[in-house]
Amino acid sequence: MIRGRTVAAAVFGAMTLLGCLAPAAHAAQCGSSSVGFEAWKREFSAEAQGKGVGQTALAALMQTNYASATIAADRGQRSFSLTLDQFLAKRGATTIVAKGRQLKQSQAALFASIQQRYGVPPGPLIAIWGMETGFGSQRGNQNMLSSIATLAYDCRRPEFFTEQLYAALKLIDRGTLSGATRGSMHGEVGQTQFMPKNILAYGTGNLEVAANALNSTANFLKAHGWRAGAGYQPGEPNFAAIEAWNAAGVYQKAIALMGRQIDEGGGTAASR
């Protein structure tokens, strides 16, 4: 037994040495502060170039800055721990529902065309639009690429945001976005706040234009199982599509509730 262990140890040592000598795939190292971000950009840029990312996007990446405000926002998301009533009050649900009913009437032709194409009624789309950007009035003023690059570098969720970063770089190479594109703290852009991967998959035109953003949102919901005519409250078939839009349970319930109130045209935003 002792001799067998010695042989095994020798074999293991040889394999370890070979592993150290063999070239290994190198991934840019994450960090938890601005220290190291510039080095990470250089490493990531080399990796991205090897995966076919073009010079326009690479140049934009190298111009990004460490987004301290994004990190602070990412660490301080507390509203999703509120009760539903608290969340509705904090997000101004009464105002969203009231304005949403007006928009449903004034833009009836747009919402009818969306519903005909995707099967999604106006209520949940308008609720998302109002919740995300106050109907386009608060789309964020952070540099989109800096925000996403910072989160891809940060050790908290690098896998998720690395995928978003590659998508953003692809969109920049295509000319859909640019290194100067502005958005919200986590890199969301447009009237209903799309992340880059979702722009690639579901985007229909310039998402700063409300009609395009609303069509894109309906496209997302349909792709995630929305069925025309089915209910979208918790426990009903279409609620799963709302869950796919945002992972926070209180957000999902708020959208379903406000959407119903907009579609039905009655009740107050805080009523159930």
Side-chain angles (χ1 to χ4, degrees):
M1 288 295 293
I2 294 175
R3 184 175 178 221
R5 288 176 183 170
T6 303
V7 172
V11 171
F12 179 79
M15 292 177 66
T16 301
L17 177 60
L18 288 172
C20 292
L21 294 174
H26 177 68
Q29 295 300 303
C30 70
S32 57
S33 72
S34 61
V35 177
F37 183 62
E38 293 301 318
W40 175 88
K41 285 195 304 184
R42 291 190 293 270
E43 293 174 6
F44 189 93
S45 180
E47 295 171 21
Q49 186 173 20
K51 294 183 178 181
V53 174
Q55 290 303 313
T56 299
L58 293 175
L61 174 62
M62 294 308 296
Q63 293 297 313
T64 58
N65 297 311
Y66 184 80
S68 298
T70 288
I71 293 298
D74 191 58
R75 301 288 188 271
Q77 298 184 76
R78 297 186 179 89
S79 64
F80 292 142
S81 64
L82 300 175
T83 67
L84 179 56
D85 286 336
Q86 291 170 335
F87 186 79
L88 290 167
K90 183 177 179 65
R91 294 298 187 97
T94 302
T95 301
I96 291 173
V97 170
K99 180 69 180 289
R101 289 172 183 163
Q102 296 173 1
L103 288 166
K104 179 185 172 184
Q105 293 181 345
S106 65
Q107 300 190 35
L110 169 63
F111 288 111
S113 70
I114 292 174
Q115 186 164 4
Q116 182 178 20
R117 182 171 185 179
Y118 299 104
V120 183
L125 292 177
I126 294 172
I128 289 171
W129 187 17
M131 179 76 78
E132 294 289 352
T133 66
F135 306 106
S137 66
Q138 301 169 23
R139 282 172 273 174
N141 195 34
Q142 303 297 310
N143 180 275
M144 176 275 302
L145 193 59
S146 288
S147 294
I148 293 176
T150 298
L151 291 166
Y153 160 72
D154 187 65
C155 290
R156 191 171 180 212
R157 290 178 288 169
E159 295 83 5
F160 175 83
F161 283 102
T162 293
E163 291 183 353
Q164 297 295 338
L165 180 54
Y166 272 114
L169 295 173
K170 183 177 290 188
L171 289 164
I172 290 172
D173 272 338
R174 290 181 180 180
T176 303
L177 300 177
S178 78
T181 297
R182 314 299 286 186
S184 293
M185 286 297 182
H186 289 76
E188 311 96 325
V189 299
Q191 295 265 343
T192 57
Q193 301 287 272
F194 267 65
M195 293 295 288
K197 278 190 69 177
N198 285 338
I199 296 175
L200 284 175
Y202 312 109
T204 58
N206 182 355
L207 299 183
E208 301 298 333
V209 177
N212 293 336
L214 291 164
N215 272 279
S216 299
T217 306
N219 189 26
F220 175 98
L221 293 173
K222 182 179 180 181
H224 287 81
W226 193 282
R227 293 180 1 220
Y232 56 83
Q233 297 305 300
E236 295 181 330
N238 288 330
F239 189 69
I242 296 175
E243 290 178 312
W245 177 263
N246 188 294
V250 69
Y251 179 105
Q252 299 158 3
K253 293 173 184 176
I255 293 300
L257 176 62
M258 291 189 296
R260 183 181 68 196
Q261 291 167 350
I262 292 168
D263 277 337
E264 294 178 350
T268 62
S271 65
R272 306 299 170 83

